Amino acid sequence: MSASTATRARTREPFDRRIARAVQAVTGRALGPHQTAIVRIGFALTWLVFLLRELPHRHEMYGPDGPWSWELASRLIADNRAFSVLMWSDGRVWFELVYGLAVLSAALLLVGWHTRAVSVVFMVGVLSLQNRSVFLGDGGDNVLHLAALYLVLTRCGQVWSLDARRAAREAARDAAREAARRAALEAGKTDGGSGAVGADGDGRRDVVGPLLWIVLGGFLLATTWFSDVTGEWWLPVLLWVLWLGHGLWWLACRLAPGEPRTLLDVLANLAHNAALFVIMVEVCLIYATAGWYKIQGSRWQDGTALYYPLHLDYFSPWPLLSELLGSSGIMVLLLTYGTVIVQIAFPFTLFHRKVKNVLLVAMMLEHAGIAVLLGLPVFSLAMISADAVFLSTAFLVALGARSARGRDRLLGRRSAGPLPEQRRTGEEHGPRTLVG
């Protein structure tokens, strides 16, 4: 009875009120904080693992010793206008600096240290190295390429990050100071001191954020100077907009914390929610197009497509395991048809939670199998990271709690309980530094 009453009430609700509620939902807060955090962690880990694995071969892959020389790369980039700071110089020192910054930014983004600034450096590192040698990669590089662009627009440090931990501790200190001030006022021991209390805890003494902002400003000047060899004009413009936006946000938090700050929060939430939506659509398009292209192939139609890669020496890191699986016609048939069915059906099951979760697990297991059987761990890790955007919040919260307990046991310390999560926008204290 109550359910039917609620349904009738929603039906009688005016259209303009439903529109207003929808607008409030997408502007009032950054949606999917745990989903964007797990995507950030997944892609940062993917890029970090790849860079460290290829560290001994970096000069042959992206550097001056590679078969795709700097001159060939510069000629190609002059045509396709791809972005790469490696085109600024063909020197070995400059290459080592860019590669080192790419590794450092991936590690810092993984732990969520000043994610606003580091996500931009991460994007620059991904685009620069991948566009330097476009013929390297196994498919996962395309997904990582797109994700690096989208992560810049997301508030991916709301949870599971050093930013969130720092903001929660600042909030706890501010609450303690406010409680002490009120207690002193009630006891009549002070005249208020509202100007002094909280001055230490409002983040104004943080120098790391402004310093990063200044350093990145110098980098943007260099990017503008080398714009004729860097790539498309829109990417430096985007970087300047982000840089100026962080500075404007920093000023608004100190000089106009009322409506201007609220307006900037709304714009940031819109950008975050739009980028999150685009990531979800991108994953659906990847699976839908892959599935529809597969069903047009005769090998996929007769159920023998997976037999052939299992018998290629280049894609057989475990020959005995590949031979065992490939020798079973029934298993090859089931896996071939199952792959096509899962990829085509997944976008149509997003509004049915249970079916979506089953297919999501199936796709992640499929990519884990590709990593083991075909020796494509980076591709598989990139796709699993993209799939993680559809994981449920309840599962991610439980996963985070178990990870925290496991970390505490490993370090042999007693858990003090979960830190309070940030309220309101999800990054309550984030705007108090220029880029952190």
Side-chain angles (χ1 to χ4, degrees), residues 286-309:
I286 289 174
Y287 284 117
T289 54
W292 284 108
Y293 273 111
K294 283 183 174 65
I295 63 175
Q296 298 177 43
S298 60
R299 300 304 181 190
W300 291 94
Q301 292 175 6
D302 59 26
T304 62
L306 292 185
Y307 173 84
Y308 300 98

Side-chain angles (χ1 to χ4, degrees), residues 68-392:
W68 190 250
S69 65
W70 188 87
E71 289 77 12
L72 289 175
S74 61
R75 289 172 58 184
L76 180 62
I77 288 178
D79 293 334
N80 62 17
R81 303 296 297 167
F83 178 86
S84 178
V85 299
L86 288 176
M87 292 297 99
W88 295 2
S89 172
D90 60 348
R92 188 177 296 268
V93 175
W94 176 242
F95 168 76
E96 296 290 357
L97 178 61
V98 173
Y99 199 94
L101 287 177
V103 173
L104 180 62
S105 64
L108 294 178
L109 188 64
L110 177 64
V111 298
W113 183 82
H114 289 274
T115 51
R116 290 195 184 96
V118 172
S119 64
V120 177
V121 182
F122 176 81
M123 176 192 68
V124 171
V126 170
L127 298 184
S128 297
L129 290 174
Q130 289 188 352
N131 290 333
R132 169 62 176 82
S133 298
V134 295
F135 299 106
L136 293 176
D138 52 14
D141 55 316
N142 295 326
V143 181
L144 183 60
H145 193 108
L146 295 172
L149 292 170
Y150 302 147
L151 283 176
V152 171
L153 301 177
T154 63
R155 310 180 85 169
C156 55
Q158 299 176 89
V159 296
W160 299 339
S161 67
L162 295 181
D163 289 345
R165 179 177 292 271
R166 182 179 66 251
R169 287 175 174 171
E170 289 177 1
R173 286 196 296 266
D174 290 346
R177 291 188 182 95
E178 181 64 19
R181 186 182 69 84
R182 291 182 179 180
L185 285 174
E186 293 176 358
K189 296 180 180 179
T190 179
D191 59 353
S194 59
V197 175
D200 295 335
D202 64 358
R204 296 187 182 184
R205 292 187 177 182
D206 179 25
V207 297
V208 176
L211 181 61
L212 282 174
W213 190 74
I214 294 172
V215 171
L216 291 179
F219 170 80
L220 283 178
L221 289 176
T223 303
T224 306
W225 179 265
F226 289 100
S227 60
D228 57 333
V229 296
T230 298
E232 286 287 355
W233 61 270
W234 63 266
L235 193 53
V237 171
L238 173 62
L239 296 177
W240 275 113
V241 169
L242 293 172
W243 187 79
L244 293 174
H246 289 315
L248 180 63
W249 203 332
W250 185 83
L251 291 175
C253 291
R254 282 153 179 76
L255 304 180
E259 292 184 359
R261 162 68 192 277
T262 302
L263 176 61
L264 292 176
D265 272 338
V266 168
L267 295 177
N269 291 335
L270 280 173
H272 167 94
N273 294 331
L276 180 62
F277 177 74
V278 170
I279 293 174
M280 298 171 71
V281 171
E282 194 73 41
V283 175
C284 291
L285 288 176
I286 289 174
Y287 284 117
T289 54
W292 284 108
Y293 273 111
K294 283 183 174 65
I295 63 175
Q296 298 177 43
S298 60
R299 300 304 181 190
W300 291 94
Q301 292 175 6
D302 59 26
T304 62
L306 292 185
Y307 173 84
Y308 300 98
L310 291 175
H311 289 79
L312 292 176
D313 294 338
Y314 187 76
F315 292 104
S316 299
W318 309 98
L320 294 180
L321 183 60
S322 299
E323 180 65 27
L324 178 63
L325 183 61
S327 62
S328 174
I330 300 286
M331 185 61 67
V332 170
L333 179 69
L334 292 177
L335 290 177
T336 301
Y337 285 155
T339 299
V340 176
I341 292 173
V342 168
Q343 291 182 351
I344 295 179
F346 178 73
F348 301 100
T349 63
L350 295 181
F351 298 102
H352 195 290
R353 186 181 61 181
K354 293 183 178 179
V355 178
K356 182 262 295 182
N357 290 338
V358 171
L359 293 184
L360 192 60
V361 172
M363 290 191 302
M364 289 184 172
L365 291 176
E366 173 192 339
H367 290 302
I370 291 174
V372 175
L373 293 173
L374 302 183
L376 299 173
V378 175
F379 166 77
S380 299
L381 189 55
M383 290 307 303
I384 290 174
S385 301
D387 295 341
V389 73
F390 293 105
L391 292 174
S392 66

